Amino acid sequence: MSEMGLLPLRVVDARELDTKFRAVLRPGEPVRDRDGTPHQLPAFFYEVPSWNAAMEIQIAPHFRLSEFLHVDVREADPQRRFPRYVPLAITLLAAHLEVLREAVDTYVHISANGGYRSPAHALSASGSPHLWGTAANIYRIGDDFLDTEKQIARYTQLVREVLPGVWVRPYGHGIGFADDHLHLDLGHLSVEPRGVRAEDEDRGGTTPGKEETAA
């Protein structure tokens, strides 16, 4: 499959990858969120050849691809090696974070495991938008660590002002809340390259990678 946009990365249909990658990414499979609503996992990914490439590729003026790929041993082994795969929607997340970066006029830091996570990641549960590459956990903005109710409330309000279509997790403890970072997401959004439906019709299949948004 050809490149998408100006990023120097190959775009792949993950349903055609080797079994070890399909088992981790589960492209096009349905998963349910905490409310029981089904969403289809993304089918199309950028193939990242190396960590050096991730460090060099700028996906927004102030963000490098590597910032969305920091994971630890809780991620499945194939996604801790290279090539590594990240959903196409990661560029939409980066574009939204760039708006926030311009509003605060300082660095925005994404937590480890706070960008894209595969469905096989130990923290992946209940259809989190992290599985779509459309969620970010921000632990620090400039010199401000987002680990108090006051700081999280302050930046939550700012996000709502500059990014009205973005959902922010409320402050609190336990499942569904955040107390040591700012979680923001675009919902369950998948991106497919142009021309994909025609290619699918030629091979007699269907494309599960429809756009989905969550309120």
Side-chain angles (χ1 to χ4, degrees):
M1 188 170 290
S2 61
E3 293 179 1
M4 182 179 181
L6 299 177
L7 291 183
L9 295 171
R10 191 166 75 99
V11 174
V12 301
D13 183 339
R15 295 166 295 182
E16 299 176 353
L17 293 174
D18 290 344
T19 302
K20 68 176 182 179
F21 294 116
R22 295 201 309 271
V24 169
L25 302 175
R26 296 170 53 193
E29 291 187 22
V31 296
R32 294 184 180 275
D33 61 23
R34 288 194 177 94
D35 297 324
T37 304
H39 305 277
Q40 285 182 309
L41 289 166
F44 297 95
F45 291 73
Y46 290 114
E47 184 177 80
V48 185
S50 67
W51 186 249
N52 284 341
M55 290 282 288
E56 293 172 359
I57 293 173
Q58 205 94 22
I59 59 173
H62 293 95
F63 292 93
R64 297 183 183 276
L65 180 57
S66 58
E67 297 177 70
F68 299 85
L69 299 181
H70 279 294
V71 291
D72 57 23
V73 295
R74 287 172 285 188
E75 180 57 275
D77 184 68
Q79 280 292 98
R80 288 187 281 121
R81 301 176 184 273
F82 290 92
R84 190 179 297 185
Y85 298 91
V86 61
L88 300 187
I90 201 74
T91 56
L92 302 182
L93 176 62
H96 281 74
L97 291 186
E98 183 64 26
V99 173
L100 176 61
R101 170 64 170 78
E102 292 178 358
V104 298
D105 194 28
T106 188
Y107 296 106
V108 174
H109 300 272
I110 301 171
S111 307
N113 301 300
Y116 173 63
R117 303 174 193 156
S118 79
H121 193 293
L123 296 178
S124 294
S126 304
S128 166
H130 284 286
L131 280 60
W132 279 257
T134 54
N137 293 342
I138 299 168
Y139 75 94
R140 179 181 172 189
I141 295 179
D143 293 329
D144 296 334
F145 285 90
L146 307 185
D147 56 1
T148 67
E149 183 174 7
K150 179 179 179 180
Q151 290 288 43
I152 291 175
R154 172 190 174 191
Y155 285 104
T156 293
Q157 181 60 36
L158 178 61
V159 168
R160 288 173 175 166
E161 291 174 1
V162 301
L163 295 169
V166 168
W167 185 81
V168 182
R169 191 179 299 281
Y171 175 84
H173 311 291
I175 296 174
F177 298 90
D179 59 11
D180 62 356
H181 64 272
L182 183 71
H183 168 101
L184 54 85
D185 71 61
L186 313 180
H188 302 88
L189 176 67
S190 292
V191 176
E192 60 184 31
R194 286 182 175 274
V196 162
R197 292 196 179 281
E199 292 176 7
D200 272 0
E201 289 173 2
D202 288 343
R203 69 187 182 194
T206 58
T207 299
K210 296 180 180 178
E211 288 190 356
E212 298 180 356
T213 56

